[in-house]
Amino acid sequence: MNNLVKKCLSLECLIAVTSLAMIGLTSFYLLANYMVKSRQPDTPIYEPGTQFATFKEKLKDVNAIGYLTNKDMSEEKNDGTFLQAQYMLAPTVLELNETHPNLNILDYTSPVYTVFTMRSLRSKPIASSPYGPVLAEKQP
Amino acid sequence: MILYLPFLLAFAIGSLLFQWIKRPSLQINASLNAMLSMALGLGLCATLTYASLFVFGGFHRTGILGLHVGLLIILLIPNLKPFIQNLRSIKWTMSWLSPLAWLAWGLVAYVIHFMALTHPYGEWDAWALYNMKTKFMIAAGPQWQSIFNDLHWYTQPDYPLLLPSINVFHHAISGQDIPAVPMSTSIVLALMIGWLLFAAIREITGTIVAFAGSLVLMVNPFYIFQSTAQYADTLLGYYLLASIVCIHLTFLKHSKPMALISGLMLGYMTFSKNEGIVMSILLIIMFGLYTFTRRLPLVRKRQALSLIGCLLIGYLLTSSPTIILKLFIAPKNKDIFGGLSAVHMKFLNWDGFMLIVNAFKYELTHKRWAFIWGFLAFLFVAANRKIVYKECKIYLTFFVLYMTVLCFIYLTTVNFELSWRLKSTVHRICYYLLPSLLFFCYYALFRKKLDDRISS
């Protein structure tokens, strides 16, 4: 009897019981999490950079293109669209706000800026995304 | 099943290598043997794949396959007989707990898999950095090195490449693509951390405590979310835990092969993330200092000092890809210490320090962690003075020093807003430190008891 009490009050037993209690508590959180997620089975999941996917075919075997934008591309203010484009179009290198490449993605806040940039670069659109960005090629 | 074939290959290579380095006299439990073999094999396969990109001038599936099959055969020849003998000598003891444990782990594996499917492309840094680089390594041919020179600095061109290399190895063996490759890697790593924690705690105390200790981590919803986010933090957490476990085995068994394996794990850690470099250096310094200052008879002191040499040899072997990457290939890091060229560090003051303290306070008490940090605090208090018993001092000092270094890195932020940096990184730091902190607390609790048992 004494041995049993001693065993029950041992450090090992105490830690095991506390750990099991913790597992019980955490499992409740996990179950709640699981139930919330499993009730949204039809929520569509988009690949990052889907808005640039239409340019993929035009960029086969192209090493580098420009990515011109007037959006705030600082890391704090969502460099996301640039990185999303880079992810989607890899292994093509995107050069942020560099105009020297022959092909450029124009991702502006308004179509007016896009048209203005195309004119100043003497380029023509070769593909456009329904989400706004345009892929333009410089004219000889 | 094909998705998990690369991990089986890595495990086979790791087991043979582990068997080859470790002497038969070194007895550790079968689960720990398996988990450390996996860590060793995965690191080796990734490093070999990374090296193959230089050798073949880009991704070469047949080359990578040939290299790994060749390595497997090379390791099989001298190890087959002892390996089979070792397999036979393993005693698989089944208790009433075993079916229950496998059922619980099976459920956890299902939930991890389910959660991974809810964000198959991973979170921000995963697709923006690691998966994007994986695409370059697979599809850019000889131009794959653009990731160091031509990509924008937002893509962190200087980051070590262990995770993308694992994914490239996975792709070469399984033939699967993104997002299936990084997703299955994250699932496997999430399980491996839990099982490694179980195996490591089991080495010092009873199975029930070990099982409960590992399950506390594995059922944590935020741990599962972060693990399936496909960040390199999971890999860092995995190798940090493996390194600490190996260092503990080195001291416990006074074993040179184990010191070598500790070095190998520390080296892999450097190739997982920049933080891994800092952590490995701190752990080596702590290891060395503790060994030097231990009061031992002269003969044993010499033996103990030889452990440092073995550890350093292992470390040099596996950290060489990081050393070469940092010295000769990758550009300088702009985030740490302001690229060492900042004129004005606006957060290097008391307000900046308080901002960091408050960010950690907020994170550790956040309900998404389901009180796991409170539980850890309880273990810490329960351990009491045992927290500085023998080699526990190494780990405690390591954690304190690492937090000091992190604090300094935060205070010298120049390229971003500190509050934004804290918001996007503190939870990840807590995540990769958590498995090792859990192990440390359990270790401190039962380490002295282990000595008492041996002496009696």
Side-chain angles (χ1 to χ4, degrees):
Chain A
M1 186 67 184
N2 251 358
N3 265 353
L4 186 74
V5 174
K6 223 175 175 183
K7 215 174 174 184
C8 286
L9 290 175
S10 69
L11 176 71
E12 210 158 311
C13 190
L14 181 76
I15 296 299
V17 169
T18 326
S19 305
L20 288 171
M22 187 64 199
I23 292 166
L25 177 75
T26 317
S27 302
F28 172 72
Y29 272 79
L30 185 63
L31 186 70
N33 216 305
Y34 174 78
M35 284 173 77
V36 169
K37 293 261 164 75
S38 60
R39 281 182 186 176
Q40 314 157 335
D42 300 325
T43 313
I45 298 163
Y46 296 105
E47 185 169 12
T50 302
Q51 64 270 42
F52 303 97
T54 43
F55 305 150
K56 233 176 163 180
E57 272 199 15
K58 305 272 178 193
L59 297 175
K60 274 179 190 163
D61 302 321
V62 177
N63 283 340
I65 60 167
Y67 183 90
L68 310 177
T69 183
N70 64 343
K71 292 176 182 171
D72 188 349
M73 287 286 142
S74 65
E75 292 207 67
E76 296 93 332
K77 295 282 180 191
N78 198 2
D79 51 61
T81 43
F82 170 66
L83 285 182
Q84 283 184 37
Q86 181 62 82
Y87 166 75
M88 178 51 77
L89 303 176
T92 301
V93 175
L94 265 58
E95 298 183 18
L96 183 60
N97 287 327
E98 292 285 348
T99 51
H100 65 84
N102 199 34
L103 285 165
N104 289 292
I105 288 177
L106 311 175
D107 183 16
Y108 285 93
T109 47
S110 155
V112 176
Y113 295 116
T114 308
V115 172
F116 178 78
T117 312
M118 274 198 289
R119 273 191 192 168
S120 62
L121 289 175
R122 289 184 185 175
S123 47
K124 277 190 172 176
I126 55 166
S128 66
S129 157
Y131 301 95
V134 169
L135 180 66
E137 188 175 24
K138 282 183 190 167
Q139 297 301 300
Chain B
M1 190 58 204
I2 191 92
L3 265 177
Y4 297 96
L5 189 70
F7 299 104
L8 281 176
L9 179 64
F11 176 66
I13 290 174
S15 299
L16 291 167
L17 186 66
F18 193 69
Q19 176 69 31
W20 185 55
I21 299 172
K22 171 180 94 76
R23 306 274 157 78
S25 56
L26 185 69
Q27 294 290 320
I28 52 173
N29 71 61
S31 46
L32 189 55
N33 211 319
M35 288 306 113
L36 293 179
S37 298
M38 184 70 193
L40 206 59
L42 205 57
L44 182 64
C45 291
T47 316
L48 211 58
T49 305
Y50 174 68
S52 80
L53 296 177
F54 290 98
V55 173
F56 301 119
F59 178 74
H60 196 287
R61 172 167 286 144
T62 323
I64 294 171
L65 266 168
L67 272 175
H68 287 91
V69 172
L71 180 67
L72 189 69
I73 294 167
I74 290 170
L75 287 169
L76 259 176
I77 295 165
N79 282 306
L80 196 59
K81 212 174 161 188
F83 187 69
I84 292 169
Q85 278 172 352
N86 195 36
L87 272 182
R88 279 185 189 152
S89 69
I90 291 173
K91 286 172 189 162
W92 295 97
T93 46
M94 289 284 281
S95 70
W96 59 271
L97 186 74
S98 304
L100 197 74
W102 282 108
L103 182 73
W105 284 333
L107 273 173
V108 168
Y110 165 75
V111 174
I112 291 176
H113 186 259
F114 174 82
M115 293 295 180
L117 286 173
T118 61
H119 53 159
Y121 299 101
E123 293 299 309
W124 197 278
D125 272 8
W127 55 259
L129 309 184
Y130 302 107
N131 296 351
M132 187 269 289
K133 286 178 186 178
T134 305
K135 279 187 174 184
F136 265 88
M137 288 160 89
I138 291 170
Q143 268 83 44
W144 75 274
Q145 291 196 46
S146 304
I147 54 177
F148 306 118
N149 313 315
D150 303 327
L151 287 181
H152 195 272
W153 72 272
Y154 281 176
T155 64
Q156 312 286 2
D158 67 297
Y159 271 23
L161 295 166
L162 191 63
L163 185 60
S165 301
I166 289 176
N167 289 334
V168 175
F169 160 71
H170 189 315
H171 170 77
I173 306 297
S174 68
Q176 302 292 307
D177 273 314
I178 290 171
V181 166
M183 195 175 76
S184 55
T185 304
S186 71
I187 293 170
V188 168
L189 287 174
L191 290 169
M192 286 302 149
I193 291 178
W195 285 334
L196 178 58
L197 186 63
F198 162 76
I201 301 174
R202 201 179 153 211
E203 188 66 24
I204 44 169
T205 184
T207 313
I208 298 175
V209 176
F211 173 68
S214 67
L215 214 59
V216 163
L217 180 74
M218 289 170 96
V219 297
N220 189 284
F222 196 60
Y223 166 78
I224 294 177
F225 175 80
Q226 282 295 111
S227 299
T228 51
Q230 301 173 16
Y231 290 147
D233 300 323
T234 315
L235 204 59
L236 183 63
Y238 182 49
Y239 278 107
L240 176 63
L241 179 61
S243 303
I244 288 179
V245 169
C246 288
I247 289 175
H248 128 73
L249 286 173
T250 304
F251 282 117
L252 209 65
K253 314 274 181 186
H254 306 286
S255 159
K256 282 184 193 173
M258 215 57 232
L260 183 74
I261 295 168
S262 306
L264 294 174
M265 297 294 183
L266 286 164
Y268 287 139
M269 190 163 72
T270 63
F271 202 40
S272 61
K273 260 193 117 182
N274 282 336
E275 287 93 323
I277 302 172
V278 179
M279 291 202 278
S280 67
I281 293 170
L282 287 177
L283 272 173
I284 291 172
I285 292 171
M286 289 300 110
F287 182 93
L289 276 177
Y290 178 72
T291 317
F292 266 116
T293 51
R294 259 173 110 185
R295 281 184 200 158
L296 289 170
L298 195 64
V299 184
R300 281 197 63 196
K301 184 91 179 173
R302 270 189 203 151
Q303 282 176 346
L305 288 177
S306 65
L307 294 176
I308 300 174
C310 292
L311 182 127
L312 285 176
I313 290 169
Y315 183 65
L316 276 176
L317 280 172
T318 49
S319 65
S320 49
T322 318
I323 296 168
I324 295 167
L325 176 86
K326 289 285 171 189
L327 290 182
F328 305 111
I329 305 172
K332 280 180 188 166
N333 185 293
K334 290 189 179 183
D335 299 347
I336 298 171
F337 306 136
L340 295 173
S341 59
V343 183
H344 175 60
M345 293 181 182
K346 57 179 175 175
F347 301 110
L348 193 57
N349 50 40
W350 180 252
D351 288 344
F353 178 72
M354 283 318 290
L355 205 62
I356 297 165
V357 171
N358 286 331
F360 273 95
K361 212 164 93 184
Y362 174 80
E363 188 57 43
L364 299 182
T365 52
H366 199 290
K367 64 179 177 187
R368 66 182 172 193
W369 285 105
F371 307 110
I372 199 163
W373 294 100
F375 175 68
L376 206 74
F378 162 76
L379 292 182
F380 204 83
V381 172
N384 200 355
R385 276 187 296 176
K386 288 178 207 155
I387 219 89
V388 286
Y389 180 72
K390 286 195 171 174
E391 60 276 1
C392 293
K393 288 187 208 88
I394 298 178
Y395 312 129
L396 183 67
T397 324
F398 160 73
F399 287 119
V400 172
L401 280 179
Y402 182 62
M403 290 316 287
T404 314
V405 172
L406 272 183
C407 190
F408 189 65
I409 290 172
Y410 277 133
L411 289 173
T412 53
T413 298
V414 285
N415 290 321
F416 332 95
E417 276 301 313
L418 179 59
S419 52
W420 174 82
R421 198 177 188 186
L422 286 164
K423 200 178 149 194
S424 31
T425 54
V426 167
H427 61 286
R428 290 169 62 177
I429 293 165
C430 294
Y431 163 73
Y432 65 67
L433 288 178
L434 180 63
S436 303
L437 279 167
L438 267 173
F439 172 71
F440 168 59
C441 285
Y442 279 99
Y443 184 69
L445 278 162
F446 297 105
R447 175 66 179 88
K448 194 171 182 300
K449 222 175 164 190
L450 200 70
D451 268 3
D452 297 343
R453 216 182 298 157
I454 292 165
S455 58
S456 65

